[in-house]
Amino acid sequence: MKLSSVVVTLILTVGIPYYIYTPLPAAIEEPLKLMLLDALFRAVLQVGDLCQCLGLSHHIPVIRGSVSGLEFLGEMAGGQGGGVRVSDVDFDGVPVRLYEPPAVGGGEGGLRRAVMFYHGGGWALGAAKMGSYDVLCRQMSDELNAVVVSVEYRLAPAVHFPVQYEDCLAAAKHFLDLGILGKLSVDPQRVAVSGDSAGGNLAAAVAQQISVDDSVSVKFSVQALIYPVLQGLDLNTPSHQQNHNMPILHRFMMARFWLLYLGVDTSLHPLLLSPSLLHHPSIPPSIRSHINWTTLLPAKHMKHYKPVGMETGSQEVTGQEGDLLPGLLDVRAAPLLAEQGVLGRTPRAYILTCEYDVLRDDGLMYTRRLQDAGVTVSSDHYDDGFHGALSFAHWPFSFDVGKRMIRGYMDWLQENL
């Protein structure tokens, strides 16, 4: 009995640190905390995968249930914006959480600013009511004296592209109606669209559509994108190669989120990660130029990485590629692919990127393409940042880099909205 206890203790003593440990760049200021967070997420993902393999449940609902405790902790931490009035309503059939500051005023004629916000989570996770997003939206409403609308769009696997996009667009059109803005005392010249990660994808896509839709008289005045995902054709950019195992968004997980969003078979995972996909002959050269990181990225972010797969493209569209490519080529799913004429009509932008994030290059390439189209862009890059850091700025994680991100984001909105 004693020997078995010693063996178990030894296994736990060695096994737990081994599971938690992940090599991290020296620039990460709080490595142990990030290792623990990453280990927690990996454990949740593995439990979800096990449940799906056993036929008990799809892995996504299991993951949602597993993180509910963390969401509760985030809600406990959210003491900011106590005077903000919060209500759950529908905008054209889409559930939204509406945040209204305690006092009217601050703008011309007592009108207020407004922010439409789309949460992240790979189009499958997250919620407007989730602790970290609720805290952020309360803070925005209180500090900016702004009406904030956080959209509860439908999620995969229950729905797939373009449903998430359509929900967000419908909510935006409803909100931008002059009658609705008037009821909420919102200045129609000071309305932002914003989101993080997959929410940044939705914000960019909606901003593009609203900018070219002549039936919508009120346009967004700014777009604020936080480490957005903007394309899925090339998952071999320098940032994907550099950060393929970087917490908390590993490259393989980003590919899984794309497959979930597009509603295609998970067996296409290797194809989506393959460097040959971008060079498939069915993809026009003009599309490739929109995501050609060798011309769009600053040299310091290209580093030693080289394009891969130039000569390995397939010669014909197989059934699998035929399922995958239409979604990846749709600008509603991949805003980085939009034509220059569309980009040039979008509002001035704030784009936050992190050095240690697979999505870094999406944001940097979009910054360059918007600038080339004549759009004013503020690029806010964090050399010590990692994906999701902004959502972990509060207890129980309280990453300092996340706090700095929130401060930079808020300051930009305060000055530009």
Side-chain angles (χ1 to χ4, degrees):
M1 186 68 178
K2 290 182 179 180
L3 179 59
S4 62
S5 298
V6 171
V7 172
V8 170
T9 301
L10 181 61
I11 291 173
L12 292 176
T13 301
V14 175
I16 292 177
Y18 180 79
Y19 185 82
I20 291 174
Y21 178 74
T22 298
L24 295 175
I28 299 296
E29 293 185 349
E30 300 169 282
L32 179 57
K33 194 186 296 186
L34 184 54
M35 287 182 201
L36 290 169
L37 177 62
D38 183 55
L40 175 62
F41 272 99
R42 282 188 283 115
V44 168
L45 292 174
Q46 288 161 2
V47 169
D49 287 342
L50 177 62
C51 289
Q52 184 162 317
C53 287
L54 295 175
L56 300 177
S57 171
H58 192 283
H59 68 279
I60 290 295
V62 175
I63 295 170
R64 288 185 195 140
S66 299
V67 301
S68 61
L70 294 178
E71 293 178 17
F72 175 70
L73 291 174
E75 291 166 4
M76 290 175 60
Q80 301 184 59
V84 172
R85 191 177 80 174
V86 181
S87 54
D88 294 318
V89 298
D90 282 0
F91 277 11
D92 194 20
V94 180
V96 303
R97 175 159 279 199
L98 182 64
Y99 300 82
E100 298 177 79
V104 176
E108 185 178 347
L111 296 180
R112 304 176 288 198
R113 295 177 280 200
V115 179
M116 172 154 276
F117 188 84
Y118 305 131
H119 68 80
W123 308 282
L125 302 173
K129 300 175 184 178
M130 183 174 170
S132 59
Y133 292 119
D134 185 62
V135 170
L136 177 64
C137 290
R138 287 175 187 269
Q139 184 178 349
M140 273 196 287
S141 182
D142 184 49
E143 188 171 322
L144 302 175
N145 189 37
V147 173
V148 178
V149 178
S150 188
V151 180
E152 200 75 271
Y153 57 90
R154 287 171 286 176
L155 301 171
V159 299
H160 305 288
F161 173 79
V163 173
Q164 291 90 332
Y165 164 82
E166 291 172 343
D167 280 358
C168 292
L169 182 61
K173 288 184 174 181
H174 181 90
F175 185 47
L176 292 173
D177 180 82
L178 283 170
I180 299 298
L181 294 175
K183 289 179 182 178
L184 294 170
S185 299
V186 170
D187 184 344
Q189 302 300 315
R190 304 177 76 188
V191 184
V193 63
S194 183
D196 73 310
S197 193
N201 167 282
L202 294 166
V206 168
Q208 289 180 8
Q209 179 57 33
I210 292 295
S211 71
V212 299
D213 189 341
D214 294 333
S215 70
V216 181
S217 60
V218 178
K219 307 294 185 182
F220 289 114
S221 57
V222 300
Q223 54 183 321
L225 314 179
I226 302 168
Y227 33 74
V229 50
L230 298 167
Q231 61 85 29
L233 272 176
D234 188 0
L235 300 190
N236 291 280
T237 64
S239 62
H240 276 94
Q241 295 182 58
Q242 172 185 303
N243 303 307
H244 64 282
N245 283 326
M246 182 68 197
I248 61 172
L249 183 62
H250 298 235
R251 178 171 171 262
F252 83 91
M253 193 63 201
M254 188 64 250
R256 289 178 67 175
F257 280 134
W258 269 114
L259 296 174
L260 267 173
Y261 185 36
L262 299 179
V264 296
D265 195 276
T266 54
S267 66
L268 296 179
H269 194 271
L271 176 62
L272 185 56
L273 292 174
S274 169
S276 66
L277 182 63
L278 176 63
H279 307 288
H280 195 279
S282 68
I283 300 175
S286 60
I287 294 295
R288 293 195 193 100
S289 70
H290 295 341
I291 52 176
N292 183 358
W293 55 264
T294 65
T295 60
L296 295 173
L297 285 181
K300 69 175 183 178
H301 293 298
M302 285 191 279
K303 302 179 181 178
H304 62 280
Y305 297 102
K306 304 292 183 183
V308 291
M310 293 294 292
E311 306 300 330
T312 58
S314 302
Q315 296 303 308
E316 59 180 337
V317 179
T318 67
Q320 287 187 325
E321 291 159 327
D323 290 339
L324 187 57
L325 286 175
L328 294 176
L329 292 171
D330 194 318
V331 295
R332 297 173 300 170
L336 184 58
L337 303 184
E339 295 300 326
Q340 205 79 339
V342 173
L343 296 180
R345 297 180 64 175
T346 60
R348 67 186 184 276
Y350 167 90
I351 300 180
L352 186 156
T353 53
C354 298
E355 179 62 26
Y356 301 109
D357 179 7
V358 292
L359 302 181
R360 179 197 69 200
D361 294 345
D362 284 21
L364 293 175
M365 288 191 287
Y366 200 53
T367 295
R368 172 66 182 276
R369 292 210 62 219
L370 287 173
Q371 291 171 335
D372 288 349
V375 177
T376 300
V377 183
S378 298
S379 178
D380 192 10
H381 183 73
Y382 289 81
D383 288 328
D384 59 342
F386 58 89
H387 192 83
L390 186 140
S391 293
F392 302 111
H394 304 288
W395 188 86
F397 302 106
S398 303
F399 283 97
D400 178 70
V401 66
K403 295 175 183 177
R404 285 187 277 117
M405 287 178 185
I406 290 179
R407 185 73 272 134
Y409 172 66
M410 291 289 183
D411 288 348
W412 189 88
L413 288 172
Q414 188 73 264
E415 295 173 9
N416 292 274
L417 178 58

